[in-house]
Amino acid sequence: MKTVYVLNGPNLNLLGTREPAVYGSATLADVERLCSEACTRHGLALEFRQSNHEGQLVDWIHEAGRRHAAGELAGVVFNAGAYTHTSIALHDAVKGTGVTLIELHISNVHAREAFRHHSYLSPVARAVLCGFGVAGYALAIDGLAAMVPPA
Ligand code: CA2
C-alpha cells in the first residue's frame, strides 16, 4: 500500500477558528478526516502533518523524497500556506528530491492580494489546485491516486 503525505504549513492549525469567509468553518482535524476517507477509498495510507516552521517542512519533504525513491509514496499534497509565496528553500527541497507534489490552496489565491499570486512551488509541482475550499484536499488525493499505476 502506498502512502500519501498531506503537509500543512504555517497557521493552518488555526483553520475553523477565524476567517471563515475565506477558509470555511472546518478545522484541521476535519480536514484530516476528509483526507483519511479519500485515502481509504483509494487503498492508500495517510500521513497528515502540520508545522509552523519552514525547516520542519523542508525535513518532511526530504523524508517524503526518500520514501518516493523507495517506491513507498504516491505523492505529497502540500498546502505550504504563506511559505508558498516566500520559500526558495521549499522550492529547492521539492526540486532536489524529485517527489511528486500537488500544490494545494483552500482559497483561490489568484482572486486575492497580488502578493499571493506568485508561488515558488508551482514550477516544481506536478499539479496545482486552489479555490475548492477544504474539499480540494480530497480532490488532490483523487488526482494523485489517478497518477499512481495500480499495484
Ligand atoms: O488558501 C490557502 O490554503 C492558503 O495557502 C492559506 C494561507 C495563505 O497564506 C495562502 O496565501 C493561501 C494562510 C493559512 C492561514 O490559515 C488561517 C486559517 C484560519 C484563520 C487564520 C489563518
Side-chain angles (χ1 to χ4, degrees):
M1 179 187 279
K2 294 212 180 197
T3 298
V4 173
Y5 275 37
V6 177
L7 302 181
N8 295 280
N11 298 310
L12 284 157
N13 54 311
L14 299 177
L15 215 53
T17 66
R18 287 169 38 218
E19 297 198 67
V22 181
Y23 299 115
S25 54
T27 65
L28 200 61
D30 295 330
V31 174
E32 182 168 5
R33 264 189 296 276
L34 280 176
C35 291
S36 173
E37 286 162 11
C39 283
T40 300
R41 279 199 300 278
H42 294 293
L44 296 163
L46 173 68
E47 273 293 333
F48 188 95
R49 301 178 188 173
Q50 187 274 333
S51 176
N52 293 323
H53 304 281
E54 189 175 14
Q56 176 66 86
L57 294 164
V58 169
D59 285 344
W60 286 341
I61 295 291
H62 291 176
E63 179 186 309
R66 286 191 295 274
R67 295 195 62 181
H68 175 87
E72 298 169 6
L73 198 82
V76 177
V77 175
F78 194 16
N79 186 348
Y83 288 144
T84 305
H85 318 298
T86 63
S87 180
I88 298 168
L90 285 170
H91 170 108
D92 287 347
V94 176
K95 193 172 184 177
T97 57
V99 74
T100 301
L101 184 132
I102 313 295
E103 176 185 347
L104 175 111
H105 302 287
I106 297 166
S107 62
N108 177 0
V109 285
H110 301 289
R112 300 183 63 194
E113 303 95 324
F115 63 81
R116 297 187 204 275
H117 297 176
H118 176 263
S119 166
Y120 281 100
L121 294 176
S122 296
V124 290
R126 179 78 174 269
V128 182
L129 197 63
C130 75
F132 286 98
V134 297
Y137 283 83
L139 295 173
I141 291 168
D142 290 347
L144 263 183
M147 289 173 185
V148 178

